[in-house]
Each structure stands twice: as structure tokens, then as C-alpha cells.
Amino acid sequence: MIRSVIAAIVLVVAVTPAARASAGEVYVALGDSAASGPLVPNQVLPDLGCWRSDRNYAHLTAQAIGAATFRDVTCSGAKTKDMYTAQGTDLGSVPPQLNALSQDTTLVTVQIGANDVGLTGFIEDCLNLLPPPVGDACNDDYIENGQDTWRVKTDALRPKLTALVSDIRARSPQARIFVVGYGTYAPPNGCYPRVPIIKQDANYIRATLQYFNQAVAEQAAAAGVAFIDLQTPSKGHDPCTSAGTRWIEPYVPASPAAPFHPNARGMRGFADAVIAAVNGA
């Protein structure tokens, strides 16, 4: 089962200055399904179980900067632990993603963390085919002992992200490292019933994922690496928009992509943001 990654961010992030990409870059892409591009044509070997597209933003970035060497090990369902240990997929096991790094790596992008806190179940839980009072809102299901469980899980993720950046740097001391955020997955108030998430749940999802992505950005800054904001360029391209406009597909995709994942248009838009960042724009 392809693991969904759903996140939206509303934040302003200070990004550390970065030199422009240069000829001869040795580029390694790490991450989960938001980076790999499940079902976006064309899905590539090896590691077919990772549902990795040759038109994901990492491939497009590698082409644009003329990378001399490019290794894409992004994989659907990946968690931070899969950076270090073998990951099981629908079609077999794949090596730890950090194995792709080398002493001569000069550029790394990493998009990870949403699966650690279980955001896949979040969007599934909030599917609501019937509005209240028949349908039940999901936003009050995640408060335990007066605490928001999503925020508790997000806070527990923070040290893992900082440690991951440190471990990437240890393996590839020459590399410029970019932590990549997630795009816009819902507009304010949602668009029920076009995407069947009721208003209060859509706003709860936005607030929850804003907190999540803010944490990711803060940990990137604390580790001294750049954060690439994908929320801003993807505003107006969320699953509530028309099939010819959206970058993220809804529950029932109209373009080849997994539900609530980027389609080919979205990967192109995200690549533009990544390319601008690695070029120091």
C-alpha cells in the first residue's frame, strides 16, 4: 500500500545562503513518496516497490543543473529509520537510503518525516462522505489528556531530523544539504463536497500540518542547512482546484499519481522551487 504523505505549510522560513549549483555536481536525493512520485509516469527500476518516477522533482533538478552523478533513492513509505536500515516495500526490501551518500557527494535533498508521525492515517480518517450531523468530524479524535497527539508526535520527531542532517554531513562533508518541505494539500475551509473533508476538519488539517512543517523548517535551521518551502509556490494548485491546475491529486486522481501526492505538473512546479534554491536564487 502506497503510504500517503499529506502536509501543508503556512510559514516564513529563513534559508541559509547557498552557492549556485556547479558543473560536476554529485547529487543524492533522499525521501518518501512526496519526493519519489508514485504512479507519475514513468516509474523506474530498480526498486520498483518504491514507486519512483523519472519525472520527480529530483530527476528534473538533476537534469536542469547538469549533475555529473545522480542517485535517487527516494522511496514511498519511507520514515527516518529507513535512512539507516533496509526498508520493506510492496515488492521487496531496499537498502538504507544513506548508503547512497559518499565522500564526494556535493548536493543532497531530503524530504522525510510525515510517515514518522502517521499522517497517512490522518487524511484517511478525515474522509467524510456525509456532512454533519450524519458524518462525524475527525478533528476532535486526536486530543488525549488535553494534548494534541499530532503535535506530541511532531515534537518527538525533532531530534531525529537534527540527527539525520548530522549523519548526512558526516557521510558527505562536502555536500550542500537542503531539507524539503511539503506542498499545499488543502485551501482554507476546504471545498466540501468536491474533496470530502468538511470545513472544520480541513482547517484542523491545515493547522496541524503547519505545525509539522514549521518544526521541520526549524530543525533544518538549527542544523545549519537550508529549507525549501514548497507550500508557497503550490498555493492555488491544491486538490480543490481543477484537474488542469492542481499539482496535488485528491482522493480520486484525474492524473497519474497516488491520492494526495504530486502529479507530473506538481513535480515540475516543485522542481522549479528546488532548482531556484540549489542555484542560490
Side-chain angles (χ1 to χ4, degrees), residues 130-274:
L130 297 172
V134 180
D136 181 37
C138 75
N139 64 85
D140 57 355
D141 295 341
Y142 307 111
I143 306 300
E144 295 181 3
N145 300 318
Q147 290 187 305
D148 187 316
T149 57
W150 295 112
R151 295 196 175 203
V152 171
K153 292 176 183 177
T154 296
D155 288 339
L157 178 66
R158 290 174 181 267
K160 295 181 182 180
L161 296 175
T162 305
L164 176 58
V165 171
S166 178
D167 292 333
I168 293 171
R169 186 179 284 121
R171 289 166 172 78
S172 300
Q174 302 180 59
R176 294 180 298 133
I177 302 167
F178 293 83
V179 176
V180 182
Y182 296 86
T184 299
Y185 287 81
N189 300 326
C191 58
Y192 194 92
R194 182 187 301 172
V195 175
I197 300 173
I198 61 177
K199 176 180 176 179
Q200 56 266 47
D201 287 345
N203 289 333
Y204 176 69
I205 288 171
R206 287 178 60 84
T208 298
L209 295 173
Q210 177 182 344
Y211 186 86
F212 171 79
N213 282 276
Q214 181 71 56
V216 174
E218 289 171 355
Q219 297 314 117
V225 298
F227 176 80
I228 301 176
D229 170 22
L230 298 187
Q231 184 269 333
T232 300
S234 60
K235 286 180 179 178
H237 300 283
D238 59 77
C240 283
T241 58
S242 67
T245 300
R246 62 179 173 245
W247 292 3
I248 308 289
E249 291 297 320
Y251 288 108
V252 180
S255 298
F260 286 89
H261 283 69
N263 56 30
R265 186 181 301 106
M267 284 298 186
R268 175 70 267 173
F270 293 153
D272 289 342
V274 175

